[in-house]
Amino acid sequence: PYQQNPYNPRGSSNVIQCYRCGDTCKGEVVRVHNNHFHIRCFTCQVCGCGLAQSGFFFKNQEYICTQDYQQLYGTRCDSCRDFITGEVISALGRTYHPKCFVCSLCRKPFPIGDKVTFSGKECVCQTCSQSMTSSKPIKIRGPSHCAGCKEEIKHGQSLLALDKQWHVSCFKCQTCSVILTGEYISKDGVPYCESDYHSQFGIKCETCDRYISGRVLEAGGKHYHPTCARCVRCHQMFTEGEEMYLTGSEVWHPICKQAARAEKKLKHRRTSETSISPPGSSIGSPNRVIC
């Protein structure tokens, strides 16, 4: 925050307006990304808490507090299950804090450029993998045949995914046959790349018409990104577990829908009373209030 001088010797051409409410900024002002806010207006778009004295995120032209951002867009560590902020490590579709990505046997971090052996959900470093191989064979559930080409896995690298063994070059998208070296989505035990999975089985957001990855909000058989479902009256997002009122393609907070109905009913009553009033009636005159 900084102090905005209300005196402007150059006239009103440089008047600063609040990005949120549009009124002129006077006194203490918060400036973020070349936008100015009253301190009372610089709040989280989801829960409404103040952001002037706390951390925040900026996404889709909105300012969101840390807690709500993590709930809406956060990535959890596959090891400790806490949200990841800062640097992230991704391996075979899983994400980790750098400190959590360690060998499951020796508990040491993986050296840069070192090979990682996956066995189910466990990650083993190259040194431990060699020691295990030299002492006794690793027991893997199921036959030692590739689930892709059906041939026996004898030499070379292999991976364990979807409770099956695969040659590294055989773990492909079922549709486009691209080799899956990172993230993938499975359906009925079959792997797909993200693009093909969405095109065949994906769910589109009712508002933006884009495929939904991650959390989805459902109401009346319609699906939304959590940030796309907004009340048509107050334009605020819906929090998790909050009741929604759906009319056609419009989504309302129940209290906003009730207020809209009350306003419509009052407007209709005023119109009706005005239309039936006889000549000279004082209905609608400045000194009479119709309730």
Side-chain angles (χ1 to χ4, degrees), residues 1-279:
Y2 67 94
Q3 193 75 16
Q4 172 67 22
N5 186 359
Y7 174 68
N8 183 9
R10 299 182 180 180
S12 60
S13 59
N14 294 328
V15 171
I16 296 176
Q17 292 182 323
C18 177
Y19 181 79
R20 182 67 57 80
C21 69
D23 292 340
T24 302
C25 290
K26 296 180 181 180
E28 287 188 318
V29 177
V30 178
R31 182 174 61 192
V32 184
H33 298 148
N34 294 325
N35 296 323
H36 297 79
F37 299 84
H38 297 109
I39 291 182
R40 66 177 184 276
C41 293
F42 189 48
T43 56
C44 173
Q45 287 289 109
V46 179
C47 67
C49 69
L51 300 177
Q53 303 295 333
S54 64
F56 62 90
F57 289 85
F58 182 71
K59 186 176 178 66
N60 298 333
Q61 304 301 314
E62 295 177 341
Y63 298 93
I64 306 175
C65 69
T66 301
Q67 183 176 358
D68 287 322
Y69 182 87
Q70 288 178 339
Q71 293 295 331
L72 292 171
Y73 309 106
T75 301
R76 289 185 181 272
C77 175
D78 195 76
S79 177
C80 67
R81 303 308 301 165
D82 289 337
F83 287 108
I84 301 176
T85 57
E87 186 178 357
V88 59
I89 294 178
S90 179
L92 201 65
R94 302 183 179 95
T95 52
Y96 303 87
H97 292 106
K99 65 179 181 180
C100 295
F101 189 56
V102 296
C103 175
S104 60
L105 297 180
C106 66
R107 309 307 300 174
K108 295 180 180 180
F110 292 97
I112 297 177
D114 194 15
K115 294 180 180 179
V116 179
T117 301
F118 287 90
S119 177
K121 288 188 175 182
E122 304 297 331
C123 305
V124 183
C125 68
Q126 193 171 7
T127 302
C128 292
S129 177
Q130 291 174 353
S131 64
M132 291 172 61
T133 305
S134 60
S135 59
K136 60 180 181 179
I138 303 174
K139 293 182 179 180
I140 301 177
R141 185 176 62 186
S144 58
H145 288 78
C146 175
C149 66
K150 309 303 180 184
E151 295 182 3
E152 185 178 358
I153 300 176
K154 298 180 179 179
H155 303 287
Q157 292 181 332
S158 65
L159 61 87
L160 187 65
L162 304 177
D163 293 328
K164 302 174 185 177
Q165 279 187 278
W166 310 72
H167 290 113
V168 174
S169 58
C170 291
F171 191 57
K172 302 177 180 180
C173 171
Q174 180 74 9
T175 302
C176 66
S177 298
V178 64
I179 297 177
L180 301 171
T181 58
E183 295 184 358
Y184 66 92
I185 304 176
S186 65
K187 181 176 176 62
D188 300 328
V190 178
Y192 296 88
C193 67
E194 186 176 358
S195 176
D196 286 322
Y197 178 87
H198 283 317
S199 63
Q200 296 178 57
F201 313 107
I203 299 174
K204 284 190 174 183
C205 174
E206 188 72 20
T207 301
C208 68
D209 200 39
R210 292 182 297 183
Y211 288 108
I212 302 176
S213 295
R215 300 183 64 186
V216 57
L217 192 152
E218 182 178 358
K222 301 180 184 295
H223 301 83
Y224 305 86
H225 290 104
T227 55
C228 290
R230 295 177 179 274
C231 176
V232 296
R233 179 180 173 88
C234 66
H235 305 293
Q236 296 296 316
M237 291 186 290
F238 292 83
T239 58
E240 186 173 357
E242 187 176 8
E243 186 179 0
M244 301 175 67
Y245 192 96
L246 188 66
T247 56
S249 60
E250 297 179 339
V251 186
W252 302 71
H253 287 109
I255 190 172
C256 291
K257 185 63 177 179
Q258 293 174 3
R261 284 178 172 174
E263 291 176 357
K264 184 177 180 180
K265 187 175 181 179
L266 179 60
K267 183 178 179 181
H268 178 72
R269 179 185 299 176
R270 288 176 174 174
T271 303
S272 300
E273 290 180 349
T274 303
S275 61
I276 63 175
S277 58

